[in-house]
Amino acid sequence: MKAINDVVQYILNLGPTVMLPIMILIIALIFRVPFGKALRSGLTIGIGFVGINLVIGLLSDNLGPAAQAMVERFGFHLTVIDTGWPSAASAAWASPVSAVLIPICLVVNVILLLLKVTKTLDIDLWNYWHFIAAGATGYIVTNGNWWFAILCAVLYEVACLIIADKTAPLVAKFYGLEGVSLPTGSTAAFGLIGIPIGIVISKIPGINKLQADPDSIQKRFGIFGEPMMMGIIIGAAIAALGGYDIGGILKMGINMGAVMFLMPRMVKILMEGLIPISESVRDFLQEHYGDREIYLGLDAAVTTGHPANLATGLLLVPITLFIAVILPGNKVLPFGDLATIPFYVSLIVAHRKGNIIQSVLTGTVVIALALFMATNFAPVHTEMMRGVYEFPKGATQVSTLDMGGNFLNWVILKFSQLVSGIL
């Protein structure tokens, strides 16, 4: 088992920018795409993800200090620290069940695809950590029950695949990602509760009349409504709330403007590689299986280039911090996952057709619920990360919005506690 785990960890340490091109190449060859075309597409997709990760890094590197500055300036005191999805992913990969769950989840996906239970082929192996985290949750709560841990991971995976199937037409229509679905665990979970909440909010008198999508904003405000300028304005406002000086405010504004300007271009590079493969797969399926449709399950990062998504995510950063302070019963101080909010709202923004006001209001409600769940999840989350992650100074418990505030994982937690009580 140790040898298997070492091999798995080595492959995973290569990261999605290496793993994804390899997976794309293998899938393309299975569907008889010429090797040269398959290799070019795979490498282009990998390069696109490198660009996306660079821009996300720029976002994280700037939002993190700004959030910390806001916390210190306004004196927020909460006892559970949000350490961010990287820490949760590390804890999941380090769990005893990780080595066996990767092949199990992959086989389950293929079986469900062959049985036509799902249309999604989830090739985003890196984000299998969400499934493994669910398995690790079951493992910890039931004091080491392997079979139950496997069941938890599979249940979580099936839920993500179903949500990905149902929302794929929405992803294609709004983001222009034909033949792509989003089985990313956090995106699926936040979309599951966010879409119905968004429907309710969209029916509120007055709010239902507001058209605040990027095109409408740009038409009304001219250059100040362009995505780049929106990023500069929102970034400057976040810096001002953090108490930055004039130079810091200007720098933050330019950096956030750069994120809004560069992200769509990075996604465009990725799509240059993905479109030829998607078309070849579709042609192969139509030739051999009639109208059989398969979606390629990708990281929700492919949606973060949309201006409405990024604007919604940036606006929710200060809102999330203030909600955390005024929300009765919440103990989580949001921090590590603030830069990941655009991933959480991907399906919400798409369903609201890019309406930023409705998306922000919906996101506010969803984040509030996520904070409650993350607070409730903190003891198990802390146990999972003990010995794997160095806790921030003064923190006795940790949690994350990505895992602890994830509705699907929270359901797995409650299911595990129920079964543990019976056992």
Side-chain angles (χ1 to χ4, degrees):
M1 183 63 68
K2 184 180 184 304
I4 294 174
N5 189 60
D6 289 344
V7 172
V8 169
Q9 290 299 330
Y10 175 79
I11 295 173
L12 291 172
N13 287 338
L14 296 175
T17 55
V18 174
M19 291 169 58
L20 189 58
I22 293 173
M23 291 297 297
I24 289 289
L25 176 62
I26 293 171
I27 290 170
L29 293 176
I30 290 174
F31 286 101
R32 301 180 185 177
V33 177
F35 179 80
K37 181 179 180 181
L39 180 62
R40 181 182 180 84
S41 291
L43 292 175
T44 303
I45 289 171
I47 290 169
F49 259 101
V50 169
I52 289 172
N53 287 337
L54 287 172
V55 179
I56 290 174
L58 177 63
L59 180 66
S60 301
D61 291 345
N62 283 271
L63 279 184
Q68 185 66 35
M70 273 190 274
V71 168
E72 293 173 358
R73 186 183 186 200
F74 293 101
F76 298 160
H77 296 290
L78 296 165
T79 57
V80 180
I81 306 300
D82 164 26
T83 53
W85 72 265
S87 63
S90 298
W93 290 126
S95 68
V97 296
S98 65
V100 297
L101 282 178
I102 294 173
I104 287 174
C105 289
L106 188 57
V107 169
V108 167
N109 187 186
V110 172
I111 291 173
L112 294 177
L113 197 63
L114 293 174
L115 294 176
K116 298 184 179 181
V117 176
T118 183
K119 296 179 181 180
T120 294
L121 177 60
D122 187 359
I123 62 174
D124 183 20
L125 291 183
W126 168 254
N127 271 309
Y128 275 37
W129 78 262
H130 288 98
F131 311 152
I132 294 168
T137 299
Y139 182 84
I140 290 172
V141 175
T142 57
N143 297 313
N145 190 315
W146 280 75
W147 293 109
F148 185 72
I150 292 171
L151 175 63
C152 289
V154 170
L155 287 175
Y156 190 106
E157 178 185 21
V158 171
C160 287
L161 292 174
I162 291 173
I163 295 170
D165 284 349
K166 298 295 184 183
T167 55
L170 185 66
V171 171
K173 183 177 181 180
F174 184 75
Y175 293 111
L177 299 170
E178 292 288 342
V180 169
S181 65
L182 307 177
T184 305
S186 51
T187 303
F190 278 77
L192 178 64
I193 60 174
I195 288 175
I197 290 172
I199 293 173
V200 173
I201 287 176
S202 69
K203 297 184 182 299
I204 297 175
I207 293 177
N208 60 354
K209 302 293 185 182
L210 296 175
Q211 293 296 323
D213 59 274
D215 289 340
S216 299
I217 293 173
Q218 186 171 346
K219 187 180 295 184
R220 175 171 297 226
F221 296 102
I223 186 175
F224 293 99
E226 292 182 5
M228 175 182 64
M229 291 300 298
M230 289 168 58
I232 291 172
I233 293 168
I234 296 171
I238 291 173
L241 287 172
Y244 284 28
D245 59 20
I246 295 298
I249 291 173
L250 292 174
K251 185 175 180 180
M252 180 72 167
I254 292 296
N255 285 336
M256 292 302 98
V259 169
M260 295 285 281
F261 185 83
L262 293 173
M263 186 68 87
R265 285 155 176 76
M266 298 303 104
V267 174
K268 185 178 179 181
I269 292 173
L270 184 145
M271 292 308 300
E272 286 179 12
L274 184 62
I275 289 173
I277 296 298
S278 298
E279 291 176 346
S280 297
V281 170
R282 184 176 64 247
D283 293 343
F284 178 90
L285 292 172
Q286 288 178 346
E287 180 182 347
H288 292 84
Y289 301 101
D291 293 330
R292 182 73 198 275
E293 187 176 23
I294 290 181
Y295 303 129
L296 293 180
L298 295 180
D299 191 326
V302 298
T303 67
T304 56
H306 198 285
N309 195 346
L310 282 171
T312 299
L314 289 176
L315 287 169
L316 281 171
V317 169
I319 291 173
T320 298
L321 283 167
F322 288 115
I323 289 175
V325 176
I326 66 173
L327 198 64
N330 172 60
K331 297 180 180 179
V332 175
L333 175 62
F335 180 66
D337 275 331
L338 290 174
T340 321
I341 292 176
F343 288 76
Y344 306 155
V345 298
S346 289
L347 295 177
I348 295 170
V349 172
H351 195 265
R352 292 296 89 226
K353 300 177 181 178
N355 189 312
I356 295 173
I357 292 177
Q358 292 183 12
S359 297
V360 168
L361 291 174
T362 302
T364 299
V365 177
V366 173
I367 290 292
L369 295 174
L371 287 169
F372 280 131
M373 290 184 281
T375 298
N376 185 245
F377 213 117
V380 173
H381 207 307
T382 301
E383 181 63 28
M384 187 182 302
M385 293 174 62
R386 199 176 300 281
V388 177
Y389 181 82
E390 185 177 348
F391 290 6
K393 186 177 180 180
T396 56
Q397 285 192 328
V398 295
S399 191
T400 58
L401 292 177
D402 198 301
M403 181 183 147
N406 177 316
F407 177 68
L408 292 177
N409 216 35
W410 183 79
V411 170
I412 291 292
L413 172 67
K414 297 294 112 179
F415 176 48
S416 302
Q417 291 172 339
L418 177 63
V419 170
S420 179
I422 295 173
L423 295 176

